[in-house]
Amino acid sequence: MAKIVILTGAGISAESGIRTFRASDGLWEEHRIEDVATPEGFVQDPELVHRFYNARRAAATAAQPNPAHIALAELEADPGHEVLIVTQNVDDLHERGGSQNVLHMHGTLFGALCHSCEHRWPAPEVMSPTDSCPSCSAQATRPDIVWFGEMPYRMEEIWHALRAADLFVSIGTSGNVYPAAGFVADAMHAGVPTLELNLEPSAGRSMFDEARHGPASVLVPQWVRERLG
Ligand code: APR
């Protein structure tokens, strides 16, 4: 049984029509990242932040998984492979592509979080700052998204899986945001072979044992076909 830990980023969902983060103008869907993806931005203008994520949620719901998501689900279904997908993405395209073992280290658009009592519940289609927490009734509802300056979820579990893996694969991520950007170094130090599949060389390219560059919808199904023989 080959244990594979797969890190995915915005690049795997790009061909499903979901925009990546690091466009050259530094804006994300016409907003400054600080305004919509930090706790400070949320305190400043919760209305704007909710509007922004409501639009992202609608876009993710309208998008369809592409051949890269689907190929990873095929790999997971193979009895010779134990696959863990660690995604930085907040869409649900891995799940809708058929993957089951998916860990959302940066949270999900489909979750709501009370920042008063930390209760979590499924997000409604449209969230607003005046929504009350179903557990403590505080009007303290935010999207269950990990913003800049916050700790990503389930890090101990991820590091444990990484150290025990037979292969680490990084797909569609620029390698700019830690701790995910450090996984290749963690794998390397644990003696785990590493592979990058990305449109272009990432910031961590020189650390990977092997790198292939091109669109995920082509590279990922190709690599999965190789694995499945
Ligand atoms: N196929 C493969 N890779 C692609 C494709 C594609 N079709 N299109 C773009 N890419 C690559 C880009 O070349 C880039 O290296 O995907 C990468 C996307 O990088 P980012 O936009 O930086 O996204 P990501 O690495 O996921 O960002 C990490 O930053 O803003 C935060 O929390 C947010 O999870 C996000 C984190």
Side-chain angles (χ1 to χ4, degrees):
M1 174 78 81
K3 292 185 184 164
I4 307 189
V5 174
I6 301 173
L7 172 69
T8 64
I12 197 166
S13 294
E15 290 164 86
S16 296
I18 298 181
R19 267 215 242 164
T20 61
F21 299 97
R22 295 197 164 66
S24 51
D25 55 9
L27 294 177
W28 178 23
E29 302 278 357
E30 282 68 57
H31 291 281
R32 296 191 317 151
I33 286 178
E34 307 86 82
D35 293 340
V36 293
T38 62
E40 295 77 14
F42 185 63
V43 170
Q44 198 73 37
D45 194 344
E47 193 75 61
L48 167 79
V49 174
H50 273 299
R51 250 197 338 266
F52 179 79
Y53 287 98
N54 288 339
R56 305 280 71 70
R57 188 176 306 109
T61 302
Q64 295 303 325
N66 68 54
H69 299 103
I70 292 165
L72 294 185
E74 283 164 10
L75 187 65
E76 183 184 320
D78 175 64
H81 289 85
E82 189 181 308
V83 173
L84 170 64
I85 296 176
V86 176
T87 188
Q88 300 169 90
N89 298 344
V90 293
D91 64 50
D92 60 349
L93 295 179
H94 283 301
E95 287 87 345
R96 286 200 277 131
S99 290
Q100 292 183 3
N101 206 10
V102 184
L103 191 160
H104 283 270
M105 65 180 290
H106 288 172
T108 161
L109 286 166
F110 300 95
L113 167 66
C114 172
H115 57 84
S116 176
C117 75
E118 298 197 1
H119 179 67
R120 287 185 165 80
W121 67 99
E125 232 170 90
V126 177
M127 288 171 71
S128 108
T130 52
D131 290 346
S132 302
C133 167
S135 176
C136 76
S137 303
Q139 287 189 342
T141 299
R142 56 170 278 181
D144 191 8
I145 302 270
V146 177
W147 287 323
F148 284 96
E150 298 183 318
M151 182 57 82
Y153 296 148
R154 298 166 68 181
M155 289 309 302
E156 283 305 319
E157 210 181 313
I158 297 170
W159 278 316
H160 183 80
L162 254 183
R163 285 192 291 267
D166 297 305
L167 178 65
F168 169 67
V169 187
S170 173
I171 304 173
T173 174
S174 60
N176 281 302
V177 175
Y178 285 84
F183 290 170
V184 59
D186 298 331
M188 191 174 76
H189 292 132
V192 176
T194 55
L195 167 67
E196 162 163 297
L197 305 176
N198 203 46
L199 192 59
E200 60 200 0
S202 71
R205 160 65 190 99
S206 60
M207 272 181 284
F208 284 89
D209 296 315
E210 187 190 344
R212 303 180 188 179
H213 298 125
S217 67
V218 174
L219 291 188
V220 178
Q222 209 169 55
W223 170 70
V224 167
R225 274 198 302 274
E226 286 169 29
R227 293 286 322 180
L228 298 181

